[in-house]
Amino acid sequence: AQKVTQAQTEISVVEKEDVTLDCVYETRDTTYYLFWYKQPPSGELVFLIRRNSFDEQNEISGRYSWNFQKSTSSFNFTITASQVVDSAVYFCALTHAHQAGTALIFGKGTTLSVSS
Amino acid sequence: SAVISQKPSRDICQRGTSLTIQCQVDSQVTMMFWYRQQPGQSLTLIATANQGSEATYESGFVIDKFPISRPNLTFSTLTVSNMSPEDSSIYLCSVTTGANYGYTFGSGTRLTVV
């Protein structure tokens, strides 16, 4: 069975602090995909990143970076120099690498609050 | 990537009634999924809808309560039947043509049952 664990329920930081959101996953598949989504107060889901299980390279996109480590089944997300606009719920998700696509399994989410 | 039009965006319904939520996709997609997001919670998969076959429901969700239609490769509906206040949630549809191509989510239907 697949499972995604986001142990941090809520995190509060002050602007310009760096913050890391943890994601640990469980799967028996050798090929799978991991995702991060942002859900701001408006409610829509904003796609941040997709990573397949064969690509362990870390990725940086502006203030965002992701650390994928298969050895520890983790896919952590770091925001550098956080801003108030980063306040949102962040979800980590996992799916099989089925050709036609299977549903995403979401973690419980981490609520990030950035104060000025 | 696909674009989804989900309707209605929100509704307030009386208990005991039913609401049908529609998702229209601007391209043909194989897989469509319906999720529920209860207040302050994560997204929980209700069912997977393939065109031309019965939807596959997750544990805890039944067809009588959440009937789904998938008449073609661009459209699906989810009905929330005999509603109670516990059904107050955001309902989202999602599509993919394969994990490597990503997933698209509708903007959600915010349902309040009174």
Side-chain angles (χ1 to χ4, degrees):
Chain A
Q2 296 182 316
K3 184 179 180 181
V4 177
T5 300
Q6 295 179 257
Q8 304 151 308
T9 304
E10 296 182 15
I11 300 176
S12 295
V13 299
V14 179
E15 256 191 327
K16 299 184 182 179
E17 284 187 31
D18 298 347
V19 58
T20 296
L21 309 181
D22 297 333
C23 174
V24 174
Y25 63 92
E26 297 176 28
T27 180
R28 295 179 181 176
D29 296 324
T30 56
T31 306
Y32 50 89
Y33 286 84
L34 294 161
F35 296 75
W36 275 95
Y37 285 87
K38 174 183 180 180
Q39 188 176 44
S42 54
E44 78 274 19
L45 278 172
V46 178
F47 167 77
L48 297 177
I49 190 172
R50 174 180 66 249
R51 173 71 71 215
N52 73 54
S53 53
F54 295 108
D55 184 0
E56 286 195 73
Q57 283 195 352
N58 292 332
E59 180 155 339
I60 299 175
S61 176
R63 296 185 297 109
Y64 295 170
S65 62
W66 290 269
N67 184 324
F68 177 30
Q69 292 196 348
K70 288 178 73 172
S71 60
T72 56
S73 297
S74 66
F75 187 42
N76 296 337
F77 172 33
T78 297
I79 301 175
T80 303
S82 59
Q83 300 176 2
V84 173
V85 293
D86 295 327
S87 297
V89 182
Y90 291 86
F91 293 102
C92 181
L94 167 70
T95 190
H96 300 293
H98 187 276
Q99 184 177 6
T102 54
L104 290 174
I105 304 303
F106 286 84
K108 292 186 180 299
T110 297
T111 300
L112 175 63
S113 298
V114 182
S115 58
S116 57
Chain B
S1 60
V3 175
I4 300 175
S5 173
Q6 182 173 345
K7 296 178 181 179
S9 59
R10 61 178 63 232
D11 207 341
I12 301 174
C13 300
Q14 297 292 322
R15 68 176 65 202
T17 63
S18 299
L19 176 71
T20 295
I21 302 167
Q22 301 180 2
C23 275
Q24 177 73 53
V25 190
D26 68 344
S27 58
Q28 293 185 341
V29 292
T30 307
M31 309 294 286
M32 293 186 76
F33 311 101
W34 288 96
Y35 290 86
R36 180 177 73 182
Q37 187 176 23
Q38 294 176 301
Q41 303 297 314
S42 183
L43 285 78
T44 300
L45 181 67
I46 297 172
T48 299
N50 289 335
Q51 191 267 335
S53 62
E54 293 290 325
T56 302
Y57 289 82
E58 298 299 303
S59 176
F61 297 96
V62 295
I63 188 171
D64 290 345
K65 176 68 176 177
F66 298 101
I68 289 172
S69 77
R70 180 85 199 272
N72 56 53
L73 290 173
T74 64
F75 187 78
S76 179
T77 66
L78 169 75
T79 298
V80 186
S81 303
N82 189 24
M83 290 184 286
S84 66
E86 291 70 36
D87 294 319
S88 297
S89 297
I90 299 173
Y91 293 85
L92 300 101
C93 63
S94 175
V95 301
T96 185
T97 52
N100 192 42
Y101 303 99
Y103 291 74
T104 302
F105 285 83
S107 54
T109 296
R110 195 176 295 264
L111 171 63
T112 301
V113 183
V114 297

mmCIF file of all heavy atoms in Angstrom, chain A residues 18-47:
data_model
loop_
_atom_site.group_PDB
_atom_site.id
_atom_site.type_symbol
_atom_site.label_atom_id
_atom_site.label_comp_id
_atom_site.label_asym_id
_atom_site.label_seq_id
_atom_site.Cartn_x
_atom_site.Cartn_y
_atom_site.Cartn_z
ATOM 1 N N ASP A 18 14.284 30.587 6.542
ATOM 2 C CA ASP A 18 14.196 29.402 5.703
ATOM 3 C C ASP A 18 13.339 28.366 6.425
ATOM 4 O O ASP A 18 13.356 28.278 7.665
ATOM 5 C CB ASP A 18 15.583 28.811 5.457
ATOM 6 C CG ASP A 18 16.514 29.763 4.711
ATOM 7 O OD1 ASP A 18 16.020 30.780 4.164
ATOM 8 O OD2 ASP A 18 17.725 29.495 4.692
ATOM 9 N N VAL A 19 12.607 27.582 5.651
ATOM 10 C CA VAL A 19 11.749 26.570 6.272
ATOM 11 C C VAL A 19 11.755 25.316 5.406
ATOM 12 O O VAL A 19 11.744 25.401 4.173
ATOM 13 C CB VAL A 19 10.310 27.109 6.461
ATOM 14 C CG1 VAL A 19 9.699 27.549 5.141
ATOM 15 C CG2 VAL A 19 9.429 26.088 7.157
ATOM 16 N N THR A 20 11.801 24.166 6.053
ATOM 17 C CA THR A 20 11.779 22.894 5.353
ATOM 18 C C THR A 20 10.540 22.114 5.741
ATOM 19 O O THR A 20 10.267 21.924 6.932
ATOM 20 C CB THR A 20 13.036 22.062 5.658
ATOM 21 O OG1 THR A 20 14.184 22.748 5.148
ATOM 22 C CG2 THR A 20 12.949 20.695 5.002
ATOM 23 N N LEU A 21 9.827 21.656 4.735
ATOM 24 C CA LEU A 21 8.637 20.839 4.932
ATOM 25 C C LEU A 21 9.004 19.391 4.622
ATOM 26 O O LEU A 21 9.526 19.094 3.550
ATOM 27 C CB LEU A 21 7.500 21.307 4.008
ATOM 28 C CG LEU A 21 7.185 22.807 4.038
ATOM 29 C CD1 LEU A 21 6.028 23.120 3.113
ATOM 30 C CD2 LEU A 21 6.894 23.279 5.448
ATOM 31 N N ASP A 22 8.712 18.518 5.553
ATOM 32 C CA ASP A 22 9.123 17.127 5.423
ATOM 33 C C ASP A 22 8.038 16.272 4.762
ATOM 34 O O ASP A 22 6.843 16.489 4.962
ATOM 35 C CB ASP A 22 9.446 16.535 6.796
ATOM 36 C CG ASP A 22 10.619 17.227 7.468
ATOM 37 O OD1 ASP A 22 11.482 17.771 6.753
ATOM 38 O OD2 ASP A 22 10.665 17.220 8.712
ATOM 39 N N CYS A 23 8.493 15.294 3.982
ATOM 40 C CA CYS A 23 7.587 14.330 3.352
ATOM 41 C C CYS A 23 8.278 12.977 3.325
ATOM 42 O O CYS A 23 9.385 12.854 2.791
ATOM 43 C CB CYS A 23 7.230 14.768 1.932
ATOM 44 S SG CYS A 23 6.264 13.557 1.001
ATOM 45 N N VAL A 24 7.637 12.000 3.915
ATOM 46 C CA VAL A 24 8.142 10.626 3.900
ATOM 47 C C VAL A 24 7.087 9.758 3.238
ATOM 48 O O VAL A 24 5.896 9.899 3.524
ATOM 49 C CB VAL A 24 8.429 10.125 5.326
ATOM 50 C CG1 VAL A 24 8.818 8.658 5.305
ATOM 51 C CG2 VAL A 24 9.544 10.959 5.956
ATOM 52 N N TYR A 25 7.503 8.888 2.364
ATOM 53 C CA TYR A 25 6.538 8.088 1.621
ATOM 54 C C TYR A 25 6.823 6.603 1.770
ATOM 55 O O TYR A 25 7.943 6.198 2.118
ATOM 56 C CB TYR A 25 6.533 8.494 0.142
ATOM 57 C CG TYR A 25 7.853 8.242 -0.550
ATOM 58 C CD1 TYR A 25 8.102 7.047 -1.217
ATOM 59 C CD2 TYR A 25 8.861 9.213 -0.532
ATOM 60 C CE1 TYR A 25 9.314 6.817 -1.834
ATOM 61 C CE2 TYR A 25 10.074 8.991 -1.151
ATOM 62 C CZ TYR A 25 10.302 7.797 -1.797
ATOM 63 O OH TYR A 25 11.512 7.560 -2.404
ATOM 64 N N GLU A 26 5.796 5.818 1.504
ATOM 65 C CA GLU A 26 5.915 4.363 1.507
ATOM 66 C C GLU A 26 5.304 3.829 0.227
ATOM 67 O O GLU A 26 4.179 4.197 -0.136
ATOM 68 C CB GLU A 26 5.187 3.744 2.694
ATOM 69 C CG GLU A 26 5.722 4.139 4.048
ATOM 70 C CD GLU A 26 4.872 3.565 5.169
ATOM 71 O OE1 GLU A 26 4.249 2.498 4.951
ATOM 72 O OE2 GLU A 26 4.799 4.191 6.244
ATOM 73 N N THR A 27 6.022 2.947 -0.448
ATOM 74 C CA THR A 27 5.503 2.289 -1.636
ATOM 75 C C THR A 27 6.308 1.037 -1.907
ATOM 76 O O THR A 27 7.490 0.984 -1.585
ATOM 77 C CB THR A 27 5.553 3.223 -2.858
ATOM 78 O OG1 THR A 27 5.025 2.535 -3.996
ATOM 79 C CG2 THR A 27 6.969 3.683 -3.170
ATOM 80 N N ARG A 28 5.663 0.057 -2.512
ATOM 81 C CA ARG A 28 6.357 -1.161 -2.903
ATOM 82 C C ARG A 28 6.804 -1.091 -4.351
ATOM 83 O O ARG A 28 7.529 -1.965 -4.838
ATOM 84 C CB ARG A 28 5.451 -2.380 -2.715
ATOM 85 C CG ARG A 28 5.084 -2.642 -1.283
ATOM 86 C CD ARG A 28 4.173 -3.842 -1.157
ATOM 87 N NE ARG A 28 3.801 -4.087 0.243
ATOM 88 C CZ ARG A 28 2.945 -5.022 0.636
ATOM 89 N NH1 ARG A 28 2.380 -5.804 -0.270
ATOM 90 N NH2 ARG A 28 2.664 -5.176 1.907
ATOM 91 N N ASP A 29 6.375 -0.061 -5.047
ATOM 92 C CA ASP A 29 6.729 0.083 -6.453
ATOM 93 C C ASP A 29 8.177 0.543 -6.589
ATOM 94 O O ASP A 29 8.688 1.289 -5.755
ATOM 95 C CB ASP A 29 5.816 1.110 -7.126
ATOM 96 C CG ASP A 29 4.377 0.661 -7.150
ATOM 97 O OD1 ASP A 29 4.142 -0.544 -7.318
ATOM 98 O OD2 ASP A 29 3.500 1.528 -6.995
ATOM 99 N N THR A 30 8.799 0.126 -7.669
ATOM 100 C CA THR A 30 10.134 0.617 -7.962
ATOM 101 C C THR A 30 10.074 1.874 -8.814
ATOM 102 O O THR A 30 11.022 2.653 -8.849
ATOM 103 C CB THR A 30 10.970 -0.452 -8.688
ATOM 104 O OG1 THR A 30 10.269 -0.850 -9.875
ATOM 105 C CG2 THR A 30 11.194 -1.659 -7.795
ATOM 106 N N THR A 31 8.960 2.034 -9.505
ATOM 107 C CA THR A 31 8.767 3.216 -10.337
ATOM 108 C C THR A 31 7.541 3.966 -9.836
ATOM 109 O O THR A 31 6.446 3.400 -9.794
ATOM 110 C CB THR A 31 8.583 2.834 -11.810
ATOM 111 O OG1 THR A 31 9.682 2.030 -12.233
ATOM 112 C CG2 THR A 31 8.517 4.083 -12.674
ATOM 113 N N TYR A 32 7.733 5.209 -9.474
ATOM 114 C CA TYR A 32 6.635 6.004 -8.926
ATOM 115 C C TYR A 32 6.954 7.477 -9.123
ATOM 116 O O TYR A 32 8.055 7.839 -9.551
ATOM 117 C CB TYR A 32 6.427 5.695 -7.429
ATOM 118 C CG TYR A 32 7.701 5.745 -6.611
ATOM 119 C CD1 TYR A 32 8.135 6.939 -6.024
ATOM 120 C CD2 TYR A 32 8.484 4.601 -6.427
ATOM 121 C CE1 TYR A 32 9.302 6.982 -5.284
ATOM 122 C CE2 TYR A 32 9.665 4.649 -5.683
ATOM 123 C CZ TYR A 32 10.061 5.844 -5.116
ATOM 124 O OH TYR A 32 11.226 5.883 -4.393
ATOM 125 N N TYR A 33 5.954 8.300 -8.841
ATOM 126 C CA TYR A 33 6.121 9.745 -8.967
ATOM 127 C C TYR A 33 5.763 10.423 -7.654
ATOM 128 O O TYR A 33 4.823 10.010 -6.959
ATOM 129 C CB TYR A 33 5.224 10.301 -10.076
ATOM 130 C CG TYR A 33 5.705 9.971 -11.457
ATOM 131 C CD1 TYR A 33 5.393 8.750 -12.060
ATOM 132 C CD2 TYR A 33 6.472 10.885 -12.175
ATOM 133 C CE1 TYR A 33 5.841 8.453 -13.327
ATOM 134 C CE2 TYR A 33 6.913 10.586 -13.458
ATOM 135 C CZ TYR A 33 6.599 9.373 -14.024
ATOM 136 O OH TYR A 33 7.046 9.079 -15.276
ATOM 137 N N LEU A 34 6.482 11.464 -7.349
ATOM 138 C CA LEU A 34 6.215 12.281 -6.171
ATOM 139 C C LEU A 34 5.899 13.708 -6.611
ATOM 140 O O LEU A 34 6.474 14.214 -7.584
ATOM 141 C CB LEU A 34 7.430 12.288 -5.240
ATOM 142 C CG LEU A 34 7.751 10.940 -4.598
ATOM 143 C CD1 LEU A 34 9.181 10.927 -4.096
ATOM 144 C CD2 LEU A 34 6.782 10.648 -3.469
ATOM 145 N N PHE A 35 5.005 14.331 -5.865
ATOM 146 C CA PHE A 35 4.551 15.678 -6.208
ATOM 147 C C PHE A 35 4.501 16.542 -4.955
ATOM 148 O O PHE A 35 4.332 16.045 -3.831
ATOM 149 C CB PHE A 35 3.128 15.649 -6.784
ATOM 150 C CG PHE A 35 2.976 14.907 -8.074
ATOM 151 C CD1 PHE A 35 2.997 13.526 -8.119
ATOM 152 C CD2 PHE A 35 2.784 15.609 -9.262
ATOM 153 C CE1 PHE A 35 2.841 12.838 -9.316
ATOM 154 C CE2 PHE A 35 2.615 14.939 -10.463
ATOM 155 C CZ PHE A 35 2.650 13.552 -10.488
ATOM 156 N N TRP A 36 4.601 17.842 -5.183
ATOM 157 C CA TRP A 36 4.270 18.827 -4.159
ATOM 158 C C TRP A 36 3.249 19.802 -4.758
ATOM 159 O O TRP A 36 3.409 20.252 -5.901
ATOM 160 C CB TRP A 36 5.494 19.614 -3.698
ATOM 161 C CG TRP A 36 6.278 18.942 -2.622
ATOM 162 C CD1 TRP A 36 7.375 18.144 -2.771
ATOM 163 C CD2 TRP A 36 6.022 19.014 -1.210
ATOM 164 N NE1 TRP A 36 7.815 17.705 -1.541
ATOM 165 C CE2 TRP A 36 7.015 18.227 -0.565
ATOM 166 C CE3 TRP A 36 5.071 19.664 -0.420
ATOM 167 C CZ2 TRP A 36 7.076 18.082 0.821
ATOM 168 C CZ3 TRP A 36 5.129 19.518 0.948
ATOM 169 C CH2 TRP A 36 6.128 18.733 1.557
ATOM 170 N N TYR A 37 2.222 20.098 -3.945
ATOM 171 C CA TYR A 37 1.215 21.079 -4.318
ATOM 172 C C TYR A 37 1.088 22.110 -3.211
ATOM 173 O O TYR A 37 1.265 21.810 -2.036
ATOM 174 C CB TYR A 37 -0.151 20.425 -4.512
ATOM 175 C CG TYR A 37 -0.307 19.647 -5.793
ATOM 176 C CD1 TYR A 37 0.065 18.304 -5.858
ATOM 177 C CD2 TYR A 37 -0.820 20.243 -6.939
ATOM 178 C CE1 TYR A 37 -0.071 17.588 -7.030
ATOM 179 C CE2 TYR A 37 -0.964 19.531 -8.114
ATOM 180 C CZ TYR A 37 -0.579 18.207 -8.151
ATOM 181 O OH TYR A 37 -0.719 17.487 -9.321
ATOM 182 N N LYS A 38 0.722 23.311 -3.620
ATOM 183 C CA LYS A 38 0.427 24.397 -2.684
ATOM 184 C C LYS A 38 -1.064 24.714 -2.760
ATOM 185 O O LYS A 38 -1.635 24.779 -3.855
ATOM 186 C CB LYS A 38 1.241 25.636 -3.074
ATOM 187 C CG LYS A 38 0.930 26.893 -2.279
ATOM 188 C CD LYS A 38 1.756 28.071 -2.800
ATOM 189 C CE LYS A 38 1.477 29.339 -2.034
ATOM 190 N NZ LYS A 38 2.286 30.495 -2.543
ATOM 191 N N GLN A 39 -1.693 24.886 -1.614
ATOM 192 C CA GLN A 39 -3.095 25.276 -1.584
ATOM 193 C C GLN A 39 -3.220 26.555 -0.759
ATOM 194 O O GLN A 39 -3.268 26.513 0.467
ATOM 195 C CB GLN A 39 -3.976 24.168 -0.999
ATOM 196 C CG GLN A 39 -5.468 24.450 -1.131
ATOM 197 C CD GLN A 39 -6.333 23.306 -0.650
ATOM 198 O OE1 GLN A 39 -6.083 22.720 0.393
ATOM 199 N NE2 GLN A 39 -7.364 22.963 -1.427
ATOM 200 N N PRO A 40 -3.276 27.695 -1.422
ATOM 201 C CA PRO A 40 -3.435 28.962 -0.705
ATOM 202 C C PRO A 40 -4.850 29.071 -0.146
ATOM 203 O O PRO A 40 -5.702 28.230 -0.438
ATOM 204 C CB PRO A 40 -3.178 30.006 -1.799
ATOM 205 C CG PRO A 40 -3.473 29.306 -3.080
ATOM 206 C CD PRO A 40 -3.170 27.858 -2.865
ATOM 207 N N PRO A 41 -5.102 30.108 0.651
ATOM 208 C CA PRO A 41 -6.427 30.261 1.260
ATOM 209 C C PRO A 41 -7.572 30.281 0.245
ATOM 210 O O PRO A 41 -8.691 29.919 0.588
ATOM 211 C CB PRO A 41 -6.303 31.596 2.002
ATOM 212 C CG PRO A 41 -4.850 31.689 2.337
ATOM 213 C CD PRO A 41 -4.135 31.085 1.167
ATOM 214 N N SER A 42 -7.300 30.657 -0.969
ATOM 215 C CA SER A 42 -8.349 30.677 -1.992
ATOM 216 C C SER A 42 -8.830 29.280 -2.358
ATOM 217 O O SER A 42 -9.908 29.111 -2.918
ATOM 218 C CB SER A 42 -7.844 31.397 -3.233
ATOM 219 O OG SER A 42 -6.633 30.805 -3.674
ATOM 220 N N GLY A 43 -8.032 28.260 -2.062
ATOM 221 C CA GLY A 43 -8.489 26.883 -2.219
ATOM 222 C C GLY A 43 -7.998 26.112 -3.414
ATOM 223 O O GLY A 43 -8.072 24.883 -3.419
ATOM 224 N N GLU A 44 -7.525 26.787 -4.446
ATOM 225 C CA GLU A 44 -7.106 26.019 -5.622
ATOM 226 C C GLU A 44 -5.787 25.307 -5.340
ATOM 227 O O GLU A 44 -5.000 25.723 -4.507
ATOM 228 C CB GLU A 44 -6.964 26.925 -6.853
ATOM 229 C CG GLU A 44 -5.686 27.744 -6.903
ATOM 230 C CD GLU A 44 -5.794 29.045 -6.151
ATOM 231 O OE1 GLU A 44 -6.685 29.172 -5.308
ATOM 232 O OE2 GLU A 44 -4.953 29.930 -6.411
ATOM 233 N N LEU A 45 -5.547 24.232 -6.037
ATOM 234 C CA LEU A 45 -4.304 23.486 -5.891
ATOM 235 C C LEU A 45 -3.307 23.975 -6.936
ATOM 236 O O LEU A 45 -3.597 23.967 -8.121
ATOM 237 C CB LEU A 45 -4.547 21.997 -6.075
ATOM 238 C CG LEU A 45 -5.068 21.228 -4.869
ATOM 239 C CD1 LEU A 45 -5.433 19.819 -5.256
ATOM 240 C CD2 LEU A 45 -4.037 21.210 -3.752
ATOM 241 N N VAL A 46 -2.146 24.361 -6.469
ATOM 242 C CA VAL A 46 -1.105 24.865 -7.358
ATOM 243 C C VAL A 46 0.017 23.848 -7.425
ATOM 244 O O VAL A 46 0.627 23.510 -6.410
ATOM 245 C CB VAL A 46 -0.567 26.224 -6.847
ATOM 246 C CG1 VAL A 46 0.555 26.720 -7.762
ATOM 247 C CG2 VAL A 46 -1.687 27.248 -6.743
ATOM 248 N N PHE A 47 0.287 23.358 -8.614
ATOM 249 C CA PHE A 47 1.346 22.377 -8.818
ATOM 250 C C PHE A 47 2.707 23.041 -8.623
ATOM 251 O O PHE A 47 2.964 24.127 -9.153
ATOM 252 C CB PHE A 47 1.221 21.805 -10.233
ATOM 253 C CG PHE A 47 2.404 21.017 -10.703
ATOM 254 C CD1 PHE A 47 2.606 19.732 -10.247
ATOM 255 C CD2 PHE A 47 3.306 21.562 -11.600
ATOM 256 C CE1 PHE A 47 3.694 18.998 -10.690
ATOM 257 C CE2 PHE A 47 4.392 20.834 -12.042
ATOM 258 C CZ PHE A 47 4.596 19.548 -11.586
#
